Each structure stands twice: as C-alpha cells, then as structure tokens.
Amino acid sequence: MKRTWGFLVFGLLFSVTACSITITLPGRSPSPAPYGTTVPSTPLPASPALVLDACPFLAVAEVARLTGISGEIKPLEQSAHVGGPVEKRYGCLYENAVQPAGLAPHLQIVIPLKPDSTSVAFVDETAKASCREPFTVIGGVGDKTMYCESGKDPAKAVLLVGKLSRGEVRLAVLDIVKARPDAYERIAKLLARRL
C-alpha cells in the first residue's frame, strides 16, 4: 500500500511539473512584423507594405466557413523560402483534426523576383504547373483569378489570385478540398483585398 501511494505521489508531481514547463522558440525574423504573425483571429484589413508571413492573409474562421470544418483549426506558418533567385514564398498550413495533413488547406503567398513578371502571366504559369485543365476564371477579382482541379490530387482544388500591389506582383495560391464555386469566389475576393 505504501508503495502504491509513493507511485501516485510521484506521478502527480511529475504531471504538475510537466504542465508548468514553458518552451519559447525564437522567431524567424529579427524585426517585428507590420502586422500580427501569430494565430490570426482577425485577418489583415488590407495589403501590408511587406509580406513576411502567409497565415495573417486568411483567418481561421474564414477557412472554417469555406471548408465546413467545425472542429479546431490550427494555422501553422511554414518555413519561408526567400533566398532564391526566382521568388519569395510564404506558406500557412491550416491543420485540423477532421482531415489528414495532405488534405488540410494550404495557403501560399508568392512574390516573383523577376522584374518583367506580370500578375496575369504569373497566375497563368502557376496554373499550368499546378492544375489540370480546364481552368475557371473568376472575373473582376484581382488582376487575374482562377480555380482548377489540383494536378497532384483530384480531391483538391487550387485557387489562384494574382495582383499588382505596392509595386510588386503578389500571388495567393490556396490548395483546398473541393468546394462550391461561390465559396471560391468569396475567398478570392478576401485574398485580393489583402494582397
């Protein structure tokens, strides 16, 4: 009996100690971002001067409405690819308990570094590389917006929104499980405003 109480006390102390440990990870950018870069409860109101992350472009509640997922969605900022000669790329994976990681919504904000890039051409190039034809164009949103079936997974769609903003071409690429066309248009309008 004494031994059982000893194990119980030890287990309780271990649990309390484990729950009180705090781990702080360093941020990836030394200077503060011009907008919040943590879990976005409210999205960007308009396009930021500098793009440093992807998650603030689409709030969790908006992803939930688009996908119909009512469970907890956790946005995870992906490692940025900013050192290459072709483009800057930022990503956000919207993990949730309902979908496997491969089907979770994934947003990328891409900024080409080629001086002769246009938003229309960049949308077309990305669509050809990422999609199966046919492409469906959404008129009046950004400089060019379209959606299509993913070239990698027929269960997913790719939404592309291109816009010239603050002197640079910006492209939002959202990989998501297929939804209704009106849902793509709603989310495209939000992304175009925020690019």
Side-chain angles (χ1 to χ4, degrees):
M1 184 72 168
K2 287 182 182 179
R3 188 178 297 229
T4 305
W5 280 106
F7 283 123
L8 183 62
V9 169
F10 176 76
L12 248 155
L13 284 173
F14 179 76
S15 297
V16 169
T17 305
C19 291
S20 64
I21 293 174
T22 303
I23 298 173
T24 306
L25 298 174
R28 67 174 175 79
S29 72
S31 59
Y35 51 83
T37 57
T38 57
V39 176
S41 56
T42 57
L44 293 169
S47 60
L50 291 173
V51 175
L52 299 174
D53 299 290
C55 288
F57 282 85
L58 202 53
V60 169
E62 293 164 338
V63 173
R65 276 195 302 274
L66 174 66
T67 60
I69 294 171
S70 58
E72 184 177 330
I73 297 174
K74 181 180 177 185
L76 300 171
E77 193 69 42
Q78 306 292 288
S79 296
H81 302 286
V82 296
V86 179
E87 64 191 20
K88 294 179 184 177
R89 184 177 292 265
Y90 307 88
C92 185
L93 181 67
Y94 294 88
E95 265 193 353
N96 59 79
V98 179
Q99 295 174 318
L103 292 179
H106 185 242
L107 174 66
Q108 296 178 73
I109 305 297
V110 187
I111 301 166
L113 299 178
K114 296 183 281 185
D116 59 341
S117 285
T118 66
S119 53
V120 172
F122 200 44
V123 167
D124 290 338
E125 290 169 17
T126 306
K128 286 177 186 169
S130 305
C131 298
R132 291 189 174 111
E133 292 191 36
F135 310 135
T136 304
V137 174
I138 300 173
V141 180
D143 295 335
K144 184 160 190 180
T145 299
M146 65 172 65
Y147 64 92
C148 52
E149 183 178 293
S150 170
K152 295 177 184 173
D153 185 351
K156 293 185 85 173
V158 179
L159 173 65
L160 303 138
V161 182
K163 184 178 174 185
L164 179 63
S165 181
R166 297 192 179 255
E168 64 186 3
V169 171
R170 295 179 179 179
L171 175 68
V173 182
L174 180 63
D175 293 313
I176 195 159
V177 173
K178 288 180 179 175
R180 295 182 327 272
D182 61 312
Y184 300 136
E185 187 171 345
R186 279 197 316 272
I187 210 77
K189 286 177 180 177
L190 292 174
L191 288 169
R193 256 196 327 267
R194 294 169 190 162
L195 284 175

